[in-house]
Amino acid sequence: MILEGIGDTVRARRKARGLTLSAMTQRTGLSTAIISQVERGLANPSFSTLAQIAHGLDIPVGELFSQQPVSRSPVVRKSDRRNLLSTVPEARGRTVFELLSPDLHGTLEALWVETPPGHDSSGTPFTHRGEEFGVILSGRKQVFIDGEKYELEEGDSITFNSTIPHWYKNTSDEVCTALWVISPPSW
């Protein structure tokens, strides 16, 4: 049901923009077959695939999950955080991305991010419009921006232009917990 909803949303957004499957292939770097399977609800796409599709449509990834309710309260209780992604297939172990802002309809998104030891997103660098800010609450994280490595420890923060290819690694033996802010929302 969720995959069909995502597929319907992708197809509707693509057609509303007047894009063919071939044009989406050029915009995303994904094959026409994969995009078609996602649209028909036949694929179980990774987060990276969904991010590429969303960025090809120039929308935040969260808009692909249209059946998610929109919060009305400005407060998000810890127990009510929306888990945007429970497991990243490209990472080893569990990765947590919880939305700290009430929804993705504002000008920024705030995330609680927990990356396990061994997490490595270098195989699928991210690029999207906007800016990112992150602060490490505990543990360590390597942030790569256009190939340049930045070692962050507890209390360190980083700000960068998200249009530059970037990726993350946790090479330590402990979970890294961070607060991440992205503007505009890209989920």
Side-chain angles (χ1 to χ4, degrees):
M1 178 103 173
I2 291 175
L3 295 178
E4 291 170 359
I6 291 171
D8 291 344
T9 302
V10 170
R11 184 182 307 104
R13 293 295 182 113
R14 176 178 63 79
K15 288 185 175 184
R17 293 197 185 315
L19 299 171
T20 64
L21 285 174
S22 179
M24 279 297 289
T25 294
Q26 291 177 345
R27 292 175 71 122
T28 64
L30 299 170
S31 73
T32 302
I34 291 293
I35 296 168
S36 175
Q37 288 175 354
V38 169
E39 286 189 358
R40 292 180 288 142
L42 302 176
N44 187 6
S46 69
F47 170 72
S48 297
T49 298
L50 291 176
Q52 287 173 271
I53 289 171
H55 295 146
L57 293 170
D58 199 30
I59 62 173
V61 178
E63 288 189 24
L64 296 178
F65 301 92
S66 60
Q67 62 271 22
Q68 294 291 331
V70 176
S71 174
R72 299 279 184 229
S73 172
V75 176
V76 177
R77 305 280 179 214
K78 181 178 179 179
S79 61
D80 294 332
R81 290 181 192 160
R82 191 166 121 201
N83 190 350
L84 297 177
L85 186 67
S86 59
T87 305
V88 176
E90 294 83 2
R92 288 181 285 174
R94 303 276 298 165
T95 301
V96 174
F97 291 93
E98 294 178 337
L99 189 61
L100 297 174
S101 40
D103 56 46
L104 295 168
H105 299 290
T107 58
L108 62 86
E109 72 184 55
L111 300 171
W112 180 271
V113 181
E114 294 178 9
T115 50
H119 173 83
D120 182 351
S121 66
S122 63
T124 54
F126 300 100
T127 57
H128 50 91
R129 63 191 172 121
E131 257 187 306
E132 292 192 28
F133 165 82
V135 61
I136 306 303
L137 303 176
S138 67
R140 302 176 136 176
K141 180 177 274 193
Q142 295 176 341
V143 178
F144 293 80
I145 303 170
D146 205 20
E148 188 169 346
K149 178 172 67 172
Y150 298 91
E151 296 271 352
L152 302 179
E153 298 179 355
E154 184 176 324
D156 293 344
S157 62
I158 190 167
T159 303
F160 57 92
N161 182 330
S162 311
T163 62
I164 301 169
H166 54 282
W167 61 93
Y168 313 95
K169 288 185 182 181
N170 180 353
T171 58
S172 74
D173 294 334
E174 62 181 292
V175 171
C176 176
T177 302
L179 171 69
W180 225 255
V181 179
I182 303 168
S183 180
S186 66
W187 279 85

